Amino acid sequence: MTFGFATSAATSINTSANSASRLARMLEPAEWAAAGIPLLRNPREVVSGLHTRHTPAPATAVVAVLDHEERLAASASFYRRSTPADGWEFRNVLLANLRRVIPHDLRRRTPVRTAVLLYCREGDERWTEEDGAWMWGLRDACTLHGLRCGAYITLTRGGWQVLGEGRGGRRPSSLSSPGELSDIGAEVEPLPLRTASGAAEALRRAAAR
């Protein structure tokens, strides 16, 4: 009897199918660049502001919503779980955090607010499949929340970079100490960080102003 062999084969097929599905739920740099993502007028100010408010460590994502004048309307940060990179999973956690900190704009014919994502990770500035999954997840979450899909920014030991644009800088980096809000022209002090109950393994904190 070959029940053991058949089970192993089925498991192998399922694993291959899951891997293929995950690969389909990611965007490569060329696809991202062709999607017409709006450019940030002052990416350094956006990155510095989010870094100061959330002080992200590696494996921390910060999703932020900007108004039409590129002012911060809301933001939330959370840890990425130790699971294979999957755009569908990333979309779900991004959408959950967006819903937590700001109402949707689905009633508008044209989005007026833009969501950007800052992801702090190990490695260098080069694109990875994990970045591609975050890009897919951000684009899909924005569609479902009535937002424009904005920039995807990585924060590493070497500094920050807006993927698909080639803009970046050495500070802040994943090793930087948080700056002062006054240094970035902030007018409002951040509210105390909030933590979602029952999801400690997936979310460390969520903050909004």
Side-chain angles (χ1 to χ4, degrees), residues 95-166:
L95 191 58
N97 278 277
L98 287 171
R99 287 170 174 167
R100 182 174 292 108
V101 300
I102 199 164
H104 68 74
D105 278 345
L106 293 172
R107 294 184 181 88
R108 295 182 179 274
R109 292 185 177 180
T110 303
V112 296
R113 296 185 291 194
T114 303
V116 300
L117 179 62
L118 171 71
Y119 183 54
C120 183
R121 62 167 172 77
E122 301 290 356
D124 56 30
E125 73 281 359
R126 288 175 293 184
W127 179 89
T128 66
E129 289 186 354
E130 182 183 27
D131 294 325
W134 278 118
M135 291 171 167
W136 190 97
L138 177 62
R139 186 185 64 176
D140 218 40
C142 287
T143 299
L144 294 174
H145 206 64
L147 301 168
R148 288 200 306 171
C149 180
Y152 173 70
I153 307 159
T154 57
L155 188 70
T156 63
R157 290 173 177 265
W160 59 273
Q161 176 160 317
V162 185
L163 265 68
E165 296 183 18

Side-chain angles (χ1 to χ4, degrees), residues 19 77 170:
S19 297
S77 61
R170 293 184 178 180

Side-chain angles (χ1 to χ4, degrees), residues 15-16 27 45 50 57 68 79 122-123 140 155-157 205-206:
T15 300
S16 298
L27 296 175
E45 183 174 307
L50 295 179
H68 65 285
Y79 275 134
E122 301 290 356
D140 218 40
L155 188 70
T156 63
R157 290 173 177 265
R205 60 185 186 263

